[in-house]
Amino acid sequence: MTEQKMKNILILGANSGMARALARELASPQVQLILAGRKVAELEKSAKDLEIRGHGPAPKVVSFNALETGQHEQFLPEVLSRVETLDEVYLFFGQLHGQAEAQKDFSLAWEMLMTNYVGAVSILERVAAYMEKRGQGIIIGVSSVAGDRGRQSNYLYGSSKAGLTVYLQGLRNRLARSGVHVLTVKPGFVDTPMTRNKKKGLLFTQPKAIAQGMLKAVRARKNSVYLPGFWKYIMLIIRSVPESVFKKLKM
Amino acid sequence: MTDNITGQPVLPPEIEITGWGRYPASPTRVFPVQSTAEPGQILKARQGKSLLGRGAGRAYGDAALNRSNFCLDFMPYNRFLDFDEQTGILRAEAGVTLEQILETFVPQGWFLPVTPGTKYPTLGGSVACDVHGKSSHSLSHYVERLHMLLADGSYVACSAKELPDLFWATVGGMGLTGLILEVELKMTRIETCLIRYQGVKAHNLQEIFRLFEETEEWPMTVAWVDCLARGKNLGRSIMMRGAFARQHELKSLAQQSRARSVPHKGKLTVPFAFPAWSLNKLSVTAFNTFYYGKHPRCLDTIMDYDSFFYPLDSILQWNLIYGGPGLVQYQFLIPLEQGFEGVKTLLEEISATGRASFLAVLKKFGNIQNPGMISFPAPGYFLALDFPVGGGEILKHMDQWDKLVLKYGGRIYLAKDARMKRESFNAMYPRLDEWRAVKQKYDPENVFSSDLAQRLGLVNKAGG
């Protein structure tokens, strides 16, 4: 019997609801989690929670801000000073502002584009270089169905995610030969916590269901996955509407 | 949810929410709480609106509603913060559900010290209602400390020793003294998580009361009562008593293998609200007769804790079988000395109305001390019955029943209530003035309120 090797998994944007749900699914004695995000005090609490739930090693906490791209060069060496290797990296961070507000105030649009696209590319380029050199690893990027087609109701956010989707596609192509796998995850419109009260349990179960779907896709070495799965068909229809018709729709 | 640039809370839309009974409904703005700073930010920016912490929404009536004002949804605020294996003290954020606690701690040989009949409520909500269930104490007996945010924006810890007035006004205080952010709870060590169970039939009320007298040594007891049985069968029931099985009591290897495992069973979901006529006297009588008839005289067995504590949890959304308008639960307590007379009179009254109640549950609390000022559990007998709201006539009957409950010195459980009149409430809780004084001291401007508080006059300065 071979002893199961410890896996080191980095979660970027570990304070988001979806990331929290995923970390709970991952937490186990064979997994060393590294939680990265802006609010370190919150991450410390989550780390304790994951240690208690997973009966595993205490997750490590690192400060990370997607917008401070100048700091990204030092980020990976800092993580690697605390764990020997990095086997999987999940990218969850993302900024979502209302379309109407972002149209009025460009700083909101700027923040979305910088966080969701530039910030993501900045850190993943470093991760990719590390994994490519090592010849193994998995990168999981959380994009969105909003990036599949531009719509008047959310195109500022959507275009930042469209950029991320194409970036992950290219990265997958680049890293395929070096044995590094890239998975693109496109969650459907995540229900706001308010809808939970209308249809009980919806939001509460959803992050957990998405986390489980994500892990399944990782194990199956999927390239791209919609979560929940039915979004694949919704987006198939939305993408297939001719632009001459689509531009007149109120979506 | 706060805006990242301004730090101001984003105003969520007003939506209709209800409790577990789906009656009544109230339009409320619901703020999800996910991080430590959010409750304080919402308190600062409340713009004259009142606030209420809300958990899983498992209280039946209007306890977790706050019409035209704000609710803070604590469900996403659900992290374990510390567990001391020496003392068994768990510290957790208020939105942790009892189910999450069981899933994590049962495999390590720990159980909730007290659990209600469902595992879906949050810890914070359970403290605010001071839940009781089948055990011989209510939950507050095992609460070591509460961490709260008060109306003036201060963060305090309270317990039986620190700020005891705040503590005893908060356990069972229905969330009206402040926001419960974290709870420290003393867990119970168990050798196995299986239950040694005995079910004993009783032909009538005398028999079941005698069984309760004899059953003092069982740590967990409850009786299922067929409340449509009348005359000499009045109080026909099944006593269900249980204790955590010891290792040596497990006979088979199959049982031993389950001694520390969380049961995972398939669950049914009620897909939509049943038509109101589907629960009528005939169908409930048929069900009750069948259920009682098929039960052996005395059943002695080992069962998993889910089947013992949470039989209804295996049917998700069972509240929908009570039809569109929802359901109300009538749960009252009659003090020990008057127990038999009181329960008998009320059962006669209830069965005389011919109203169908699926579930009637009888329970005895022995000579416990409960220092909670408006906490429900006290020495006595409790009876809980569910009724469909239907056209609303049932509510008028309940007003009549309240008078009987009062006559026997009893009270109604606020976590289940949706309809009691203010005058009845004032007469039921003898330490209400003491509670009002604490409310006045810590929340003079009634920052914290709820539909229940408005209805019962708990937020009126003049004292109702």
Side-chain angles (χ1 to χ4, degrees):
Chain A
M1 245 174 61
T2 55
E3 203 178 308
Q4 212 176 346
K5 199 175 153 277
M6 189 73 126
K7 237 193 247 177
N8 298 322
I9 301 180
L10 169 66
I11 300 179
L12 297 162
N15 269 323
S16 84
M18 226 188 286
R20 277 192 194 178
L22 180 94
R24 282 182 182 176
E25 294 296 318
L26 285 173
S28 77
Q30 284 81 39
V31 171
Q32 173 66 60
L33 290 167
I34 305 115
L35 310 178
R38 281 177 306 171
K39 295 177 189 158
V40 172
E42 287 297 308
L43 291 178
E44 298 282 4
K45 277 185 160 189
S46 295
K48 189 69 198 176
D49 175 67
L50 293 164
E51 187 187 350
I52 293 173
R53 285 181 197 249
H55 313 302
K60 298 183 191 300
V61 169
V62 206
S63 168
F64 174 79
N65 187 337
L67 286 175
E68 289 171 6
T69 50
Q71 310 292 316
H72 291 184
E73 187 64 36
Q74 293 103 284
F75 178 75
L76 225 45
E78 193 197 329
V79 171
L80 287 166
S81 73
R82 303 180 64 181
V83 289
E84 256 174 54
T85 58
L86 266 185
D87 302 294
E88 294 173 18
V89 174
Y90 285 82
L91 182 143
F92 276 97
F93 63 77
Q95 187 59 259
L96 172 61
H97 293 296
Q99 173 72 22
E101 291 75 30
Q103 269 172 234
K104 270 184 231 130
D105 178 355
F106 184 73
S107 69
L108 299 178
W110 180 90
E111 202 194 20
M112 285 196 280
L113 294 164
M114 289 304 285
T115 306
N116 304 354
Y117 181 62
V118 178
V121 170
S122 162
I123 194 64
L124 287 187
E125 276 299 292
R126 271 91 175 188
V127 172
Y130 164 77
M131 287 187 173
E132 190 173 36
K133 196 169 158 203
R134 197 169 164 241
Q136 66 182 84
I138 306 178
I139 295 170
I140 300 96
V142 177
S143 188
S144 168
V145 294
D148 275 15
R149 189 157 197 179
R151 299 179 302 129
Q152 61 181 313
S153 59
N154 72 349
Y155 68 86
L156 287 168
Y157 173 75
S159 60
S160 71
K161 287 297 193 182
L164 179 62
T165 299
V166 174
Y167 169 77
L168 290 168
Q169 212 169 35
L171 196 61
R172 178 160 45 244
N173 188 205
R174 163 186 156 193
L175 298 176
R177 252 178 300 168
S178 60
V180 179
H181 185 64
V182 178
L183 166 66
T184 310
V185 179
K186 296 178 186 174
F189 303 130
V190 176
D191 290 282
T192 67
M194 280 91 245
T195 55
R196 198 179 90 214
N197 297 293
K198 283 189 177 158
K199 204 166 161 26
K200 240 177 197 305
L202 202 62
L203 179 93
F204 181 61
T205 55
Q206 212 178 38
K208 189 175 177 174
I210 288 184
Q212 288 169 342
M214 215 181 276
L215 289 185
K216 226 172 115 191
V218 172
R219 279 185 219 114
R221 293 235 155 196
K222 289 261 172 83
N223 295 315
S224 180
V225 63
Y226 289 94
L227 289 173
F230 61 80
W231 277 94
K232 182 175 162 184
Y233 305 103
I234 297 176
M235 295 319 293
L236 188 70
I237 294 164
I238 289 184
R239 280 197 316 268
S240 62
V241 178
E243 189 65 10
S244 54
V245 178
F246 197 82
K247 70 174 182 186
K248 291 177 193 143
L249 298 177
K250 280 215 149 77
M251 288 187 79
Chain B
M1 216 176 348
T2 51
D3 188 299
N4 273 310
I5 292 184
T6 61
Q8 289 293 309
V10 175
L11 201 62
E14 198 166 73
I15 50 160
E16 290 247 309
I17 58 172
T18 72
W20 180 241
R22 305 173 57 245
Y23 169 87
S26 225
T28 311
R29 294 188 195 274
V30 183
F31 293 76
V33 173
Q34 198 176 338
S35 69
T36 316
E38 281 166 329
Q41 290 166 348
I42 297 164
L43 178 67
K44 262 194 206 125
R46 68 187 177 91
Q47 296 163 335
K49 297 286 187 185
S50 68
L51 306 182
L52 178 68
R54 179 176 161 100
R58 280 274 165 161
Y60 280 55
D62 52 2
L65 312 183
N66 199 12
R67 180 172 288 270
S68 305
N69 285 279
F70 295 169
C71 272
L72 282 75
D73 174 4
F74 275 88
M75 286 288 272
Y77 196 60
N78 60 14
R79 290 171 292 193
F80 295 127
L81 301 174
D82 192 35
F83 183 65
D84 184 333
E85 284 177 34
Q86 299 306 311
T87 59
I89 295 173
L90 167 69
R91 178 168 173 171
E93 291 175 340
V96 159
T97 65
L98 305 184
E99 183 185 31
Q100 290 168 8
I101 294 177
L102 294 173
E103 279 182 356
T104 303
F105 292 99
V106 162
Q108 300 177 59
W110 297 94
F111 209 84
L112 293 162
V114 168
T115 173
T118 164
K119 59 181 179 295
Y120 298 129
T122 61
L123 186 54
S126 300
V127 169
C129 296
D130 198 8
V131 297
H132 51 88
K134 294 181 171 70
S135 318
S136 45
H137 281 284
S138 62
L139 187 67
S140 58
H141 190 70
Y142 303 93
V143 175
E144 291 286 319
R145 190 174 287 113
L146 296 174
H147 300 265
M148 299 179 64
L149 173 59
L150 301 181
D152 64 3
S154 60
Y155 292 84
V156 299
C158 66
S159 68
K161 294 196 185 88
E162 327 148 66
L163 303 178
D165 59 342
L166 179 63
F167 182 76
W168 294 116
T170 300
V171 295
M174 307 310 288
L176 299 170
T177 52
L179 294 170
I180 301 172
L181 303 177
E182 293 168 17
V183 178
E184 290 179 43
L185 182 71
K186 194 169 173 60
M187 300 283 286
T188 298
R189 252 268 173 240
I190 49 168
E191 219 170 273
T192 83
C193 69
L194 296 174
I195 304 289
R196 187 161 59 86
Y197 168 83
Q198 259 184 20
V200 188
K201 262 185 182 176
H203 291 102
N204 52 42
L205 207 59
Q206 278 92 340
E207 270 191 44
I208 193 67
F209 268 70
R210 206 176 55 235
L211 277 171
F212 269 116
E213 297 302 321
E214 290 167 6
T215 295
E216 304 260 285
E217 77 276 13
W218 288 79
M220 298 168 291
T221 53
V222 73
W224 171 85
V225 183
D226 174 3
C227 55
L228 292 181
R230 298 172 70 169
K232 66 176 171 46
N233 288 331
L234 185 82
R236 180 167 80 169
S237 45
I238 298 168
M239 153 74 71
M240 299 167 174
R241 51 196 185 193
F244 281 106
R246 306 288 304 273
Q247 198 72 44
H248 65 80
E249 290 172 318
L250 304 183
K251 301 287 177 262
S252 68
L253 279 173
Q255 282 175 357
Q256 281 158 13
S257 71
R258 291 187 296 148
R260 290 266 174 106
S261 67
V262 177
H264 285 286
K265 283 177 280 196
K267 291 186 170 46
L268 297 170
T269 301
V270 177
F272 50 82
F274 279 26
W277 48 261
S278 58
L279 261 196
N280 55 35
K281 193 180 168 189
L282 205 66
S283 64
V284 174
T285 307
F287 175 83
N288 285 1
T289 306
F290 173 74
Y291 192 98
Y292 185 82
K294 122 185 147 134
H295 198 280
R297 178 90 189 90
C298 180
L299 180 69
D300 201 328
T301 186
I302 298 278
M303 62 164 65
D304 66 73
Y305 71 80
D306 238 14
S307 311
F308 180 70
F309 288 114
Y310 314 116
L312 279 173
D313 278 356
S314 60
I315 310 167
L316 299 174
Q317 309 260 320
W318 62 260
N319 52 347
L320 292 177
I321 66 172
Y322 284 85
L327 76 139
V328 276
Q329 185 172 90
Y330 194 75
Q331 181 166 8
F332 63 90
L333 162 95
I334 306 285
L336 285 177
E337 320 77 68
Q338 306 257 46
F340 182 76
E341 274 313 300
V343 170
K344 182 164 175 279
T345 310
L346 271 136
L347 261 182
E348 279 167 352
E349 192 69 24
I350 290 163
S351 65
T353 61
R355 293 287 162 175
S357 176
F358 232 126
L359 255 189
V361 172
L362 179 66
K363 149 123 197 107
K364 179 190 175 187
F365 251 135
N367 278 309
I368 59 153
Q369 293 283 319
N370 185 355
M373 292 172 196
I374 56 168
S375 169
F376 175 70
Y381 286 89
F382 312 56
L383 191 68
L385 311 101
D386 290 348
F387 297 92
V389 176
E393 308 83 35
I394 192 72
L395 305 175
K396 293 191 194 93
H397 286 295
M398 288 179 177
D399 289 340
Q400 294 308 310
W401 303 343
D402 284 351
K403 288 180 188 152
L404 290 171
V405 170
L406 267 173
K407 186 180 134 195
Y408 290 103
R411 52 172 75 162
I412 299 285
Y413 188 14
L414 298 183
K416 308 298 178 77
D417 179 50
R419 31 64 48 191
M420 184 174 24
K421 297 274 195 299
R422 201 177 281 193
E423 308 77 61
S424 306
F425 170 68
N426 286 340
M428 282 175 187
Y429 284 83
R431 295 177 64 198
L432 195 50
D433 286 339
E434 220 177 311
W435 186 88
R436 285 187 200 283
V438 178
K439 170 81 172 160
Q440 176 69 26
K441 176 177 167 190
Y442 291 98
D443 183 18
E445 287 165 34
N446 292 318
V447 170
F448 301 106
S449 183
S450 67
D451 286 6
L452 177 136
Q454 296 286 345
R455 175 167 58 82
L456 298 178
L458 284 166
V459 286
N460 293 38
K461 280 180 196 149

